[in-house]
Amino acid sequence: MASRGTRPTSQERRSSGADRADQRGADGRPALSTGPELGPMTLMGQSCPLHNRRGSARVVPRDENMELSFSMEMDTRIYGSNPGQHQDSSQATPIQRALRSLSIPLERLHIMKGHMIEDMCKGLCRQTHAQAKVRMLPTYIASIPNGTEKGNFLVVELCQNQVRTLLVTLYGDGNMSPNIVYKIFDMPEGMRQGEGEALFDFIAQCLSKFLAETTTSEIKETTTLPLGFVFPFSCQQTRLDKAELLSWSKGFSCSGVVGKDVAQLLQSAINKQELRHVEVVAVMNDTVGTMMTCSMEGRPCEVGIVADKGSNCCFMAESYLVETADETSGRMCVNTEWGCFGDDGILNDVFTPYDECVDKESSNPGVKRFEKMVGTLYVGEIVRHALIALTAEKALFNGTDVAVLKQKGVFTMQHVLDIINNEDGITEVKKILESLRLQPRLAAILSYMCQTRDLETLTVNVGVEGELYTGYPRFEEILLSVSRLLAPECMPTLLPSRDGSGRGAAMVTAVALRLAAQSRAVDEVLAPLRLSRADLEKVQALMRQEMDRGLCKETNPTASVRMLPTYVTHTPDGTERGDFLALDLGGTNFRVLVVRVTEEGITMASEIYVIPATIMQGTGEALFDHILDCIIDFQMKQNLVTQMLPLGFTFSFPCQQVGLDKALLLTWTKGFSASGCVGKDVVQLLRDAAKRKQHLGMQVVALVNDTVGTMMACGYDDPKCEIGLIVGTGTNACYMEEMKNVGTVEGDQGRMCINMEWGAFGDNGCLDHLFTQFDKVVDETTINPGKQRFEKLISGMYLGEIVRQILMAMVEKQLLFKGRPCPKLQTRNIFQTKFLSTIELNGLALRQIRAILNELELDASFEDSVLMREVCQAVSLRAAQLCAAGLAAVVEKMRESRGLDQLSVTVGVDGTLYKLHPCFSDNLQKTLKDLAPKCNVTFLLSEDGSGKGAALVAAVADRAANAAK
């Protein structure tokens, strides 16, 4: 047994940095030649399909100058002082021929890198995963340590011939000084080829003995002791604590384990030992542990490499690219299992006769061929076969009995390292060993990360562990030199792992528990915003109830949904023809349009005019005179002065409409305060201005709001469009109601468009049960507290503020920014709704989300970015669901009123939230289909409802008038 500090670390086993100072440049990195500046994912001489949001990878000509100095340097090291001599095969010595076969030209490395990336993409894709040799297995590790982890954590590591148990204590101090106690147990002879149950029982027995010797009374009283299981074999994980063994390797072949969940097998064995307080929380391999242990001490590490008996790599990938896992938010560590790269024959041209001999003599011929080229378990054997061949050609060991070389396993990796590191080593043998092939595997990983994160330059820490790294001083120099030549856009820094399979496994377990605790706390905060189907059905029923109250003459005054008649009784049928004017007045700017409706379709011309502040706040007569002057100016420019054209008037201010062309202004908004207008018919005010100007070139036939205009604009393209919906800064809906149900208007024949004004739904308190503490704060700080409450749950004007309130609550609960206060979040309206749309974009890199938040002066980590995306998703999903519940009430009422078993109807829709938010429309339509299964609803995006739509209202009115004549 040992405690922290007694076990030699990787760093201690390596030679000091001073020993290699002469090989480094001024920046401390190994010196190398400068290459051209290339964009992310540029492949030298090789193209392949990539997960790429910016187009396919570029293919550029190989820059000979970039490679020349490196190639000559390697030639000199390997072939001698005259590198040119190896070009002539007839003059090459046997040793030079052997060296040539073991050396891979840089051009070929570029091609190998391209093949590696291509196979990585195949491994991540759900459709091609099964065919990929680079398996790209999800590990369900979604974060690296942030330094706040604390507690006691058990680790069990299955080694080649041993079982290692550890107890790691973290103190939440940035993981600077963990306490580690461990014990190693030798595995009985033959257990690696025995029964799987016996293996796991032995592991559990080791754990029981370890705990009996090390556990303090404080730990014994712990309810649960979390355990991380280091299982260095290929597994298919479906959860962090569920991993099915795909295949054994490294001499293991225990029965009854392949295809089984190794976490469950270990937990069952632990339970047999009556260690009920020990719970298997995470399963991982040593590569993941390497990355995690290097993420300690304040240095984020996102790549892990093991260069040992086997070889493997893992890295933090964007989760949305890992199609074999359901998680799409944030990042996930992917275990590449790159040892099988080349099993499909793609590396046949670099597979030497020595590799062939090693492969044939292995326990799994034809499998894991890449690993057999680089793993220390095989390097000694490759060298042995090379020496046998050279001895046969009498190039080495002349007159010496070398029968011993024919014994498998006689030449180990340690022999290789002893010769390489010995300055007095045999020169010719040393040259062979110096040519050990370092493949472009790291370069492929780095280029892929750079591309999928939309970075021009990737700076990343790479954790490394293994016998080849610790024992071969030039490993780091050569690996970085080749990687930078193959991936010049990436700047990796190698970090030596300190017990990745032990300490790192504890970190995986600690991070998993931290994220689980955070997830529970986040769920608690967001729970009130997550609506059940029963909640939505209740909203649908309440909306229907308020609709009926609004349509009834007696209850209309107290209804929260006003259900205002618009006197629009028909939608376009396609027979409308002629020229129509439209006037769109809703702010300081207003538009005048001419809309030409012909058999071929609709054409439009328009102009924007400004209303000066003095006129907005002057007299009503001056305001409408100014508007008419602009209409006359527009008609003169369009040569329409001599024509009497029907005009549709979009007037976006509160009105009581008493006819299609008659509406009384209830109040001014949006900065208008023109005198003499409130309580007056605005259509008549416009007509009076025309009389004063003696203008006869127009006839106001209809006044509409933008919701009705949206329905009419879409109705021209789709005759089944009988609903209008606006979901933008505000929200509203209108629909064609049966006249027999409209108690506020005389007559019961035909239909009339009803302007619901549903933004005020809930102003009577019927939605109080849905209002969260965040909604209440937002409502109280608006200019109209207690009003337009449904709109405040849905529309774009308020969603950003709701998100800000939630984020402030999470900061208070120390769920964001590592518990640090964030004064900037106290600023009202800092979080605009447009940020929701951007943050929720599918596939948006976390770097971009983080950049958005940093723009707001919010110092957000990648984990903070993931959490903020979750908050935005919860708020926008609720808004879409509530909108769908209201719409479900509308379509179901239409279906029932018309006595139909199935209603087929189109909704004309407009508004920035619906159009620009990446998920809103899909969530709305999905929820609507669920709540109104008997209604087949199609959505049609509106084009200029307030302009084109108003003209079409005039066109329909003109058509009806002509028909009546």
Side-chain angles (χ1 to χ4, degrees):
M1 187 182 301
S3 62
R4 178 172 59 88
T6 63
R7 189 180 190 211
T9 65
S10 301
Q11 184 63 40
E12 290 165 347
R13 292 195 297 267
R14 292 175 57 80
S15 58
S16 68
D19 295 336
R20 299 188 302 278
D22 60 322
Q23 299 168 356
R24 295 177 179 272
D27 62 351
R29 297 191 177 100
L32 69 159
S33 57
T34 303
E37 295 186 6
L38 305 177
M41 211 50 121
T42 298
L43 306 181
M44 307 288 285
Q46 175 73 13
S47 62
C48 64
L50 302 170
H51 291 278
N52 186 355
R53 296 187 299 283
R54 299 184 300 183
S56 60
R58 287 191 295 136
V59 180
V60 300
R62 185 164 56 87
D63 189 327
E64 301 293 344
N65 294 327
M66 178 185 77
E67 302 174 3
L68 182 59
S69 62
F70 178 82
S71 298
M72 290 182 66
E73 179 185 7
M74 292 300 291
D75 286 343
T76 302
R77 290 173 183 167
I78 294 172
Y79 300 109
S81 60
N82 183 10
Q85 65 181 297
H86 76 282
Q87 300 299 326
D88 187 351
S89 299
S90 63
Q91 298 178 10
T93 68
I95 289 179
Q96 288 172 339
R97 287 196 297 272
L99 291 172
R100 192 176 308 154
S101 68
L102 286 165
S103 302
I104 304 174
L106 202 55
E107 182 176 359
R108 183 63 180 89
L109 292 179
H110 281 298
I111 296 172
M112 288 172 66
K113 171 192 166 185
H115 286 312
M116 173 74 82
I117 294 174
E118 187 173 3
D119 219 25
M120 286 167 59
C121 295
K122 286 173 64 177
L124 288 171
C125 178
R126 194 185 302 273
Q127 285 74 28
T128 57
H129 173 77
Q131 291 81 46
K133 296 304 178 183
V134 181
R135 299 299 303 278
M136 304 297 285
L137 303 174
T139 67
Y140 295 86
I141 294 169
S143 177
I144 57 178
N146 68 1
T148 64
E149 296 82 9
K150 58 183 176 180
N152 296 303
F153 305 93
L154 278 174
V155 174
V156 170
E157 178 188 1
L158 180 58
C159 307
Q160 189 72 19
N161 297 297
Q162 298 169 326
V163 170
R164 191 159 70 109
T165 55
L166 302 92
L167 179 62
V168 181
T169 304
L170 302 174
Y171 300 100
D173 60 352
N175 302 319
M176 298 295 287
S177 55
N179 186 70
I180 304 175
V181 180
Y182 71 92
K183 186 171 183 178
I184 296 174
F185 298 86
D186 291 327
M187 199 178 297
E189 190 72 28
M191 180 163 282
R192 295 187 303 166
Q193 294 80 34
E195 295 183 0
E197 185 177 359
L199 173 65
F200 285 94
D201 284 345
F202 174 73
I203 295 172
Q205 290 163 13
C206 296
L207 182 62
S208 180
K209 291 176 184 178
F210 174 68
L211 288 175
E213 297 177 22
T214 61
T215 308
T216 64
S217 57
E218 180 184 346
I219 295 176
K220 287 178 180 176
E221 294 171 2
T222 304
T223 306
T224 301
L225 199 52
L227 181 145
F229 184 23
V230 182
F231 190 73
F233 303 96
S234 297
C235 290
Q236 180 68 59
Q237 286 193 246
T238 52
R239 294 198 314 253
L240 185 58
D241 61 348
K242 184 178 176 64
E244 294 181 0
L245 177 62
L246 296 176
S247 63
W248 285 113
S249 59
K250 305 172 188 175
F252 279 77
S253 58
C254 296
S255 62
V257 183
V258 174
K260 301 289 183 64
D261 176 10
V262 295
Q264 185 56 51
L265 292 175
L266 178 58
Q267 188 68 64
S268 298
I270 289 172
N271 293 343
K272 287 182 192 177
Q273 298 296 316
E274 298 187 355
L275 301 174
R276 302 292 178 183
H277 63 302
V278 176
E279 180 183 352
V280 181
V281 171
V283 180
M284 74 223 72
N285 64 14
D286 50 353
T287 317
V288 174
T290 294
M291 182 187 76
M292 294 298 273
T293 194
C294 288
S295 292
M296 301 169 72
E297 303 180 3
R299 303 172 304 182
C301 179
E302 296 186 277
V303 183
I305 293 178
V306 169
D308 206 80
K309 290 180 175 58
S311 179
N312 195 16
C313 177
C314 69
F315 70 100
M316 297 299 291
E318 305 298 304
S319 289
Y320 75 95
L321 296 174
V322 188
E323 295 182 5
T324 50
D326 293 332
E327 183 60 54
T328 59
S329 184
R331 288 179 182 157
M332 180 182 291
C333 180
V334 171
N335 170 25
T336 64
E337 287 294 341
W338 67 17
C340 293
F341 177 50
D343 285 3
D344 56 358
I346 200 72
L347 300 180
N348 283 353
D349 62 324
V350 295
F351 218 58
T352 69
Y354 320 128
D355 298 306
E356 294 286 355
C357 292
V358 171
D359 185 38
K360 288 176 182 176
E361 292 177 1
S362 69
S363 60
N364 54 349
V367 178
K368 293 206 169 185
R369 302 183 80 195
F370 185 68
E371 183 171 279
K372 289 170 185 172
M373 297 173 72
V374 296
T376 61
L377 192 62
Y378 306 98
V379 168
E381 284 296 288
I382 296 172
V383 173
R384 182 175 68 87
H385 281 286
L387 296 178
I388 290 172
L390 290 171
T391 301
E393 293 189 60
K394 298 183 179 181
L396 289 176
F397 309 126
N398 287 331
T400 305
D401 183 6
V402 292
V404 68
L405 282 178
K406 297 184 179 180
Q407 297 177 26
K408 182 179 177 182
V410 71
F411 205 92
T412 67
M413 185 65 197
Q414 190 57 52
H415 292 123
V416 174
L417 295 175
D418 287 344
I419 295 173
I420 289 179
N421 298 331
N422 184 356
E423 292 299 327
D424 298 323
I426 306 170
T427 303
E428 299 300 335
V429 175
K430 192 171 180 179
K431 286 182 181 179
I432 295 175
L433 305 181
E434 284 282 334
S435 70
L436 293 176
R437 299 152 298 180
L438 299 173
Q439 309 296 353
R441 52 199 188 278
L442 176 59
I445 298 290
L446 298 178
S447 286
Y448 182 84
M449 291 175 69
C450 186
Q451 172 68 13
T452 55
R453 295 184 184 187
D454 269 341
L455 296 173
E456 293 300 323
T457 303
L458 173 71
T459 301
V460 67
N461 289 328
V462 179
V464 190
E465 187 169 41
E467 185 180 7
L468 188 57
Y469 176 62
T470 57
Y472 182 24
R474 296 198 58 238
F475 179 94
E476 179 176 351
E477 175 198 354
I478 298 177
L479 180 63
L480 288 178
S481 295
V482 176
S483 295
R484 287 175 187 158
L485 285 170
L486 296 177
E489 74 277 17
C490 303
M491 299 297 293
T493 299
L494 299 193
L495 302 178
S497 171
R498 294 195 289 172
D499 189 16
S501 54
R503 182 169 168 166
M507 293 311 308
V508 171
T509 308
V511 168
L513 292 179
R514 172 174 61 80
L515 293 180
Q518 176 181 286
S519 179
R520 288 192 296 272
V522 169
D523 286 343
E524 186 178 334
V525 173
L526 297 181
L529 288 95
R530 290 172 171 154
L531 304 179
S532 64
R533 194 177 194 282
D535 293 329
L536 296 173
E537 287 174 342
K538 185 174 181 180
V539 172
Q540 180 181 352
L542 287 169
M543 176 67 84
R544 174 64 183 271
Q545 180 180 311
E546 288 299 300
M547 289 172 66
D548 290 339
R549 284 168 51 80
L551 288 171
C552 177
K553 186 175 183 179
E554 289 73 23
T555 55
N556 174 270
T558 59
S560 64
V561 181
R562 295 299 305 278
M563 304 296 284
L564 303 175
T566 66
Y567 297 90
V568 173
T569 56
H570 296 86
T571 56
D573 63 5
T575 64
E576 294 80 12
R577 299 289 184 272
D579 292 344
F580 303 92
L581 289 174
L583 177 61
D584 179 12
L585 177 61
T588 55
N589 295 334
F590 75 99
R591 288 187 304 156
V592 184
L593 307 89
V594 59
V595 178
R596 180 159 297 157
V597 185
T598 66
E599 190 173 346
E600 287 73 30
I602 292 178
T603 57
M604 294 188 298
S606 66
E607 189 158 341
I608 295 174
Y609 294 90
V610 176
I611 302 178
T614 53
I615 293 180
M616 289 170 58
Q617 297 157 11
T619 66
E621 188 171 297
L623 172 63
F624 282 92
D625 281 352
H626 175 72
I627 291 171
L628 200 78
D629 286 340
C630 295
I631 293 173
I632 294 172
D633 176 74
F634 178 78
Q635 285 187 284
M636 289 179 65
K637 291 177 179 177
Q638 297 293 327
N639 296 319
L640 298 172
V641 176
T642 59
Q643 300 181 46
M644 171 71 78
L645 297 180
L647 182 144
F649 188 4
T650 299
F651 188 73
S652 300
F653 298 91
C655 289
Q656 179 186 354
Q657 198 153 353
V658 291
L660 182 60
D661 60 349
K662 186 172 185 178
L664 308 179
L665 177 63
L666 298 177
T667 182
W668 282 118
T669 58
K670 306 174 186 178
F672 282 74
S673 60
S675 61
C677 297
V678 174
K680 301 291 182 63
D681 176 8
V682 293
V683 173
Q684 190 57 49
L685 291 174
L686 187 60
R687 287 171 175 162
D688 290 344
K691 288 181 181 177
R692 287 194 296 273
K693 299 287 183 178
Q694 296 182 346
H695 181 60
L696 304 177
M698 67 172 203
Q699 178 186 5
V700 185
V701 297
L703 183 139
V704 297
N705 70 4
D706 53 355
T707 315
V708 177
T710 294
M711 181 189 75
M712 297 296 278
C714 292
Y716 180 81
D717 298 316
D718 184 350
K720 291 197 298 183
C721 183
E722 296 185 89
I723 301 173
L725 174 66
I726 301 288
V727 193
T729 306
T731 183
N732 193 19
C734 68
Y735 72 103
M736 296 301 291
E737 177 62 273
E738 306 299 307
M739 278 293 295
K740 62 184 179 183
N741 296 329
V742 186
T744 52
V745 175
E746 295 296 326
D748 57 4
Q749 298 298 312
R751 295 170 183 160
M752 179 179 289
C753 180
I754 298 296
N755 171 24
M756 295 178 66
E757 290 294 341
W758 77 2
F761 175 43
D763 286 4
N764 59 0
C766 67
L767 294 181
D768 284 358
H769 64 288
L770 289 181
F771 263 64
T772 67
Q773 58 176 329
F774 315 116
D775 301 310
K776 291 173 184 175
V777 173
V778 171
D779 179 40
E780 290 165 2
T781 55
T782 60
I783 59 173
N784 57 344
K787 304 294 184 184
Q788 298 292 108
R789 302 193 80 195
F790 190 58
E791 183 170 81
K792 289 171 184 174
L793 297 175
I794 292 176
S795 71
M797 180 177 286
Y798 306 99
L799 297 189
E801 269 298 280
I802 296 172
V803 167
R804 186 178 70 88
Q805 293 296 328
I806 297 171
L807 296 181
M808 285 197 296
M810 288 187 168
V811 170
E812 188 176 340
K813 294 179 181 290
Q814 298 190 338
L815 297 174
L816 277 173
F817 312 128
K818 295 184 183 179
R820 295 190 299 266
C822 184
K824 191 68 178 180
L825 269 180
Q826 304 294 327
T827 307
R828 282 187 60 194
N829 297 317
I830 185 179
F831 205 92
Q832 299 174 32
T833 298
K834 69 178 181 180
F835 293 137
L836 272 76
S837 298
T838 305
I839 287 173
E840 290 189 58
L841 278 173
N842 184 34
L844 184 68
L846 288 178
R847 179 190 63 83
Q848 294 170 291
I849 297 176
R850 192 178 181 187
I852 292 169
L853 299 175
N854 288 341
E855 253 185 68
L856 302 176
E857 298 179 33
L858 302 177
D859 185 18
S861 67
F862 288 118
E863 281 188 33
D864 294 331
S865 301
V866 172
L867 186 50
M868 289 189 180
R869 177 184 274 171
E870 186 176 355
V871 172
C872 292
Q873 287 171 337
V875 171
S876 67
L877 174 61
R878 184 187 66 158
Q881 289 175 327
L882 288 173
C883 189
L887 206 53
V890 172
V891 295
E892 275 296 309
K893 187 177 192 317
M894 293 174 69
R895 184 185 66 81
E896 292 174 13
S897 297
R898 298 178 186 187
L900 300 173
D901 293 329
Q902 194 79 23
L903 173 70
S904 183
V905 68
T906 296
V907 178
V909 60
D910 203 353
T912 53
L913 184 58
Y914 185 92
K915 286 184 172 181
L916 301 182
H917 191 281
C919 310
F920 190 93
S921 59
D922 287 342
N923 288 332
L924 187 156
Q925 292 175 37
K926 179 181 177 182
T927 306
L928 177 61
K929 188 174 183 179
D930 184 47
L931 294 175
K934 295 182 179 180
C935 300
N936 180 23
V937 183
T938 302
F939 287 78
L940 184 61
L941 288 177
S942 169
E943 295 179 11
D944 193 16
S946 56
K948 174 182 170 182
L952 283 167
V953 172
V956 170
D958 185 63
R959 185 197 75 202
N962 290 335
K965 292 177 183 178

